[in-house]
Amino acid sequence: DSALNAYDRSREYRKKRFGSERIGIIGKYFETGSILDIGCGTGWFLEAARDAGYSVAGQELSSQLAEFTSEKFKLQVHNNEVSEINKKFDVITMFDLIEHVPDPLKLLHDCNNLLQTGGIILVFTPNLDSHGITEMREFSSLVTPPSHLHYFTPKSVQILSEKEDMDLVMCETRGMDVADLAAYEEYKGNNEIGKYLRDSFESIQPCIDASGCGNHMRFVFKKK
């Protein structure tokens, strides 16, 4: 209960800070349509998407969270496996989820089966081939076994799309590598380096992202 309440208090911040970017990506492919958010949690993204004019539904295996989100927003939240959902969608989203599941390829296959022809799957996940993880290795905050079971790179994402016979139409990175590296240097006692990195975040991080080396990927698969 305490975790749910704490998360819910950050709803408006999350909608503004993260929701607008995610809806912006979806809008490049569908200006309107139906969205299924896998692992929807407390539903802040579903709320943001509905406010933007989309028809929304969620999937959440936690019975408590599914009931909370369904009642709070008066929308359908499927409290079962993706493979058991019997409906088609234009867009399926997975945010910071695929790295946690035992069989990512099966999850993508189940999602593909729920898509309309031409529909998309939007995924956010850590990028193993990132500057931050390459430098910090096991000290990276994104290296968290056994919570993260799988890690992905732009190359492995391409392989996933080929295995599922979908088109990879977008793959880019945006990260917090510089901030993480600053904390890492300070942890080692290199406070001057840490301060330099913090002061230089706005100039260095965009270069890392543009090089495809940011520590968070977002990619889009399109159903043929």
Side-chain angles (χ1 to χ4, degrees), residues 38-51:
I38 306 296
C40 64
T42 57
W44 63 267
F45 171 73
L46 291 175
E47 182 185 19
R50 187 167 66 180
D51 290 346

Side-chain angles (χ1 to χ4, degrees), residues 98-99 123 125-131 133-134 150-161 168 170-173 212-219 221:
I98 196 171
E99 64 272 17
V123 181
T125 191
N127 173 24
L128 184 64
D129 192 19
S130 68
H131 180 63
I133 295 179
T134 298
H150 298 276
Y151 293 90
F152 301 90
T153 68
K155 183 177 180 179
S156 65
V157 166
Q158 179 64 53
I159 293 171
L160 282 176
S161 71
L168 176 62
M170 188 199 88
C171 183
E172 58 187 42
T173 68
C213 299
N215 61 15
H216 275 84
M217 277 192 298
R218 52 269 289 132
F219 58 88
F221 290 158

Side-chain angles (χ1 to χ4, degrees), residues 81-216:
E81 297 288 345
V82 174
S83 59
E84 298 171 354
I85 298 173
N86 186 24
K87 190 176 180 181
K88 296 289 186 179
F89 299 89
D90 297 309
V91 179
I92 295 177
T93 56
M94 291 185 278
F95 302 122
D96 302 305
L97 173 83
I98 196 171
E99 64 272 17
H100 296 277
V101 301
D103 192 340
L105 188 58
K106 181 182 183 303
L107 177 60
L108 286 172
H109 179 75
D110 292 341
C111 289
N112 192 8
N113 286 339
L114 298 182
L115 283 179
Q116 307 275 14
T117 300
I120 64 168
I121 302 174
L122 171 61
V123 181
F124 279 42
T125 191
N127 173 24
L128 184 64
D129 192 19
S130 68
H131 180 63
I133 295 179
T134 298
E135 291 294 322
M136 292 183 287
R137 298 175 65 81
E138 70 270 21
F139 289 96
S140 169
S141 62
L142 295 174
V143 178
T144 58
S147 177
H148 288 178
L149 302 176
H150 298 276
Y151 293 90
F152 301 90
T153 68
K155 183 177 180 179
S156 65
V157 166
Q158 179 64 53
I159 293 171
L160 282 176
S161 71
E162 293 169 358
K163 284 183 174 293
E164 193 50 39
D165 194 27
M166 301 185 77
D167 291 325
L168 176 62
V169 295
M170 188 199 88
C171 183
E172 58 187 42
T173 68
R174 290 182 64 182
M176 294 292 291
D177 304 75
V178 177
D180 290 347
L181 285 165
Y184 178 52
E185 292 296 339
E186 291 163 357
Y187 168 75
K188 294 192 297 181
N190 300 325
N191 292 326
E192 287 189 14
I193 297 176
K195 183 179 185 305
Y196 168 77
L197 289 170
R198 292 188 187 279
D199 292 344
S200 306
F201 179 89
E202 296 294 340
S203 58
I204 299 176
Q205 188 64 51
C207 297
I208 294 174
D209 293 339
S211 299
C213 299
N215 61 15
H216 275 84

